[in-house]
């Protein structure tokens, strides 16, 4: 046990020493604390950073008089993220509300969950924050609450787990600049828009992108990716690859049921089967200059499938590292094993602990 602890400490220290700036170090410390002690700790540690970057919280607070009671409508992940953020700012939440009758009379984070009717009866004048995944549902709920005579209803600028708050995600000019003849691996392309952002990022810097592999395994995503490529005018650059990425080329089980929330994933209990490629096989010895991965916890497997490419060509990496609690420990450690010359940066692009990106440059 003592050796395991010493090895873990040594790995933490090496990764921390490889982080290139103070923002990255703060996010690393905050995420380690989150893994060890829970979500509120994370929000407390990054509150000043989030306020500086805004993420919509400044607008939310501008709409709050500082005196009204606060109720959050929505008990899912979005509501919990907003709850934790408000707690980190020192604000109490009186109640959650939800349309799911099965939740009424229960609690979330020791805060009672009440029905919309009870909300209107007890908190009609409260500051009600609607925290639902999809904006159209937020607008429907706002109309519902107005019908119940609630008067102070707010929909955050960035409600819920927005997949991509800004086009700077993965293409952060503070960290890296495009090269001529960039060859981009877009693993977990969703609807293909990230590859379009990649081309525009290159062109904005007067660089000529060579190719982007738009890799997406779901039927819905593949159809949207082809549509995005056709509409972009970049079909000579963007190549849709129908499948996923993994350690070895083959076929794996896959759960595509959460595609609309951006969280379809390779799963042993998935009902679908998809083709997967090792990136080394996909490139067949050709180089890549930039690899991005947002693949719902399969990042380590995909990195193993790109090991030879990383060793030989040292492509810049933008790897999502929030899907599993040990991502920030395992992923940079493995990347360092493949190539010791990388420096690491961490950035997050949402007002919560999701969408944390590990850059290796």
């Amino acid at each position: 046990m003592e050796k395991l602890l010493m090895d873990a400490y040594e790995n933490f220290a090496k990764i921390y020493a490889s982080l290139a700036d103070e923002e990255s170090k703060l996010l690393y410390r905050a995420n380690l604390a989150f893994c060890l002690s829970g979500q509120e700790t994370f929000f407390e540690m990054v509150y000043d950073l989030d306020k500086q970057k805004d993420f919509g919280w400044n607008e939310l607070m501008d709409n709050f008089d500082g005196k009204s009671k606060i109720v959050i409508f929505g008990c899912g992940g979005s509501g919990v993220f907003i709850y934790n953020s408000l707690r980190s700012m020192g604000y109490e939440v009186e109640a959650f509300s939800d349309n799911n009758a099965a939740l009424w009379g229960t609690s979330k984070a020791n805060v009672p969950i009440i029905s919309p009717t009870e909300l209107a009866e007890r908190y009609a004048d409260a500051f009600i924050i609607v925290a639902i995944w999809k904006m159209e549902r937020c607008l429907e709920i706002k109309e519902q609450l107005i019908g119940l005579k609630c008067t102070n209803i707010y929909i955050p600028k960035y409600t819920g787990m927005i997949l991509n708050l800004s086009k700077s995600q993965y293409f952060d000019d503070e960290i890296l600049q495009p090269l001529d003849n960039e060859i981009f691996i877009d693993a977990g392309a969703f609807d293909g828009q990230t590859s379009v952002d990649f081309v525009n990022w290159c062109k904005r810097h007067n660089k000529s992108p060579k190719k982007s592999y738009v890799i997406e395994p779901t039927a819905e995503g593949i159809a949207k990716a082809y549509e995005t490529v056709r509409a972009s005018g970049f079909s000579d650059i963007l190549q849709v690859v129908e499948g996923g990425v993994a350690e070895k080329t083959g076929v794996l089980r896959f759960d595509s049921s959460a595609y609309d929330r951006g969280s379809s994933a390779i799963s042993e209990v998935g009902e679908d089967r998809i083709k997967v490629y090792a990136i080394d096989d996909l490139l067949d010895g050709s180089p890549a200059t930039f690899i991005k991965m947002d693949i719902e916890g399969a990042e380590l497997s995909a990195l193993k499938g790109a090991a030879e490419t990383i060793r030989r060509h040292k492509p810049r990496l933008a790897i999502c590292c929030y899907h599993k609690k040990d991502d920030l420990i395992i992923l940079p450690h493995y990347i360092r094993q493949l190539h010791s010359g990388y420096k690491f940066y961490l950035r997050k692009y949402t007002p919560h602990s999701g969408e944390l990106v590990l850059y290796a440059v």
Side-chain angles (χ1 to χ4, degrees):
M1 177 61 73
E2 183 177 348
K3 185 179 186 306
L4 286 174
L5 290 173
M6 290 301 295
D7 287 346
Y9 176 80
E10 184 177 347
N11 286 336
F12 292 156
K14 287 179 178 178
I15 294 166
Y16 193 75
S18 299
L19 295 170
D21 64 3
E22 289 304 314
E23 183 172 340
S24 302
K25 291 177 180 179
L26 169 62
L27 289 170
Y28 190 77
R29 295 194 302 270
N31 274 272
L32 282 182
F34 162 62
C35 291
L36 293 171
S37 61
Q39 214 158 27
E40 273 191 53
T41 303
F42 173 84
F43 284 99
E44 290 165 1
M45 292 180 72
V46 301
Y47 169 61
D48 288 338
L49 176 64
D50 278 5
K51 188 171 178 61
Q52 176 186 340
K53 291 186 179 252
D54 188 6
F55 289 140
W57 295 118
N58 293 339
E59 179 186 323
L60 187 151
M61 290 297 104
D62 287 344
N63 283 271
F64 180 49
D65 61 14
K67 300 176 183 177
S68 300
K69 292 180 178 179
I70 300 175
V71 176
I72 298 173
F73 196 104
C75 298
S78 302
V80 172
F81 284 128
I82 289 177
Y83 167 80
N84 283 313
S85 293
L86 290 170
R87 285 292 303 273
S88 74
M89 300 176 200
Y91 294 104
E92 295 295 327
V93 174
E94 291 290 320
F96 286 98
S97 187
D98 202 282
N99 279 323
N100 184 353
L103 298 175
W104 302 344
T106 65
S107 64
K108 176 83 72 170
N110 296 318
V111 176
I113 301 173
I114 60 177
S115 69
T117 301
E118 186 176 354
L119 166 62
E121 290 172 351
R122 296 179 57 190
Y123 300 110
D125 297 328
F127 183 57
I128 302 171
I129 303 171
V130 181
I132 303 295
W133 171 276
K134 292 185 176 181
M135 183 58 70
E136 57 264 33
R137 285 289 296 134
C138 289
L139 296 174
E140 290 171 6
I141 288 165
K142 183 174 183 179
E143 291 302 313
Q144 173 190 354
L145 295 174
I146 290 172
L148 291 170
K149 309 301 182 185
C150 297
T151 59
N152 192 9
I153 306 159
Y154 179 70
I155 299 174
K157 180 179 179 182
Y158 298 129
T159 187
M161 295 177 65
I162 302 296
L163 292 175
N164 211 342
L165 291 185
S166 80
K167 289 178 170 46
S168 67
Q169 186 172 5
Y170 313 122
F171 313 112
D172 199 315
D173 287 339
E174 290 183 357
I175 296 170
L176 71 170
Q177 300 287 317
L179 308 172
D180 271 324
N181 298 312
E182 286 272 14
I183 300 171
F184 183 54
I185 303 290
D186 184 3
F190 193 56
D191 60 2
Q193 184 58 46
T194 299
S195 284
V196 174
D197 294 342
F198 156 72
V199 176
N200 287 326
W201 175 63
C202 291
K203 290 181 178 295
R204 193 170 63 249
H205 290 273
N206 298 313
K207 300 297 183 181
S208 299
K210 184 175 182 179
K211 188 171 187 176
S212 174
Y213 293 87
V214 186
I215 305 171
E216 172 58 34
T218 66
E220 298 98 323
I222 290 165
K224 289 182 179 180
Y226 278 118
E227 183 180 333
T228 299
V229 170
R230 284 193 297 269
S232 71
F234 303 140
S235 57
D236 57 329
I237 299 171
L238 309 183
Q239 176 187 335
V240 176
V241 177
E242 300 181 14
V245 286
E247 182 175 357
K248 296 179 180 179
T249 298
V251 176
L252 292 176
R253 297 175 72 100
F254 190 82
D255 180 6
S256 60
S257 62
Y259 169 80
D260 63 340
R261 298 194 301 278
S263 53
S264 297
I266 292 169
S267 169
E268 292 181 357
V269 297
E271 295 183 359
D272 303 318
R273 283 174 170 78
I274 61 164
K275 177 76 173 180
V276 292
Y277 300 91
I279 288 173
D280 289 340
D281 293 342
L282 188 66
L283 293 171
D284 193 24
S286 299
T289 61
F290 191 178
I291 297 175
K292 162 258 175 183
M293 294 181 184
D294 185 359
I295 46 178
E296 305 305 314
E299 284 81 5
L300 179 60
S301 174
L303 285 168
K304 289 179 178 178
E308 189 61 26
T309 300
I310 293 170
R311 288 192 190 101
R312 291 180 60 188
H313 302 292
K314 194 182 176 247
R316 289 152 309 154
L317 309 175
I319 311 297
C320 286
C321 56
Y322 62 93
H323 297 115
K324 294 181 176 179
K325 280 195 171 183
D326 60 2
D327 276 350
L328 262 186
I329 300 168
I330 301 297
L331 299 182
H333 177 66
Y334 182 70
I335 293 167
R336 287 185 75 257
Q337 288 181 315
L338 295 178
H339 202 298
S340 62
Y342 279 115
K343 288 188 176 181
F344 294 124
Y345 293 82
L346 286 172
R347 292 292 187 271
K348 73 185 188 80
Y349 298 92
T350 62
H352 49 71
S353 56
E355 300 306 314
L356 185 70
V357 177
L358 173 71
Y359 293 91
V361 298

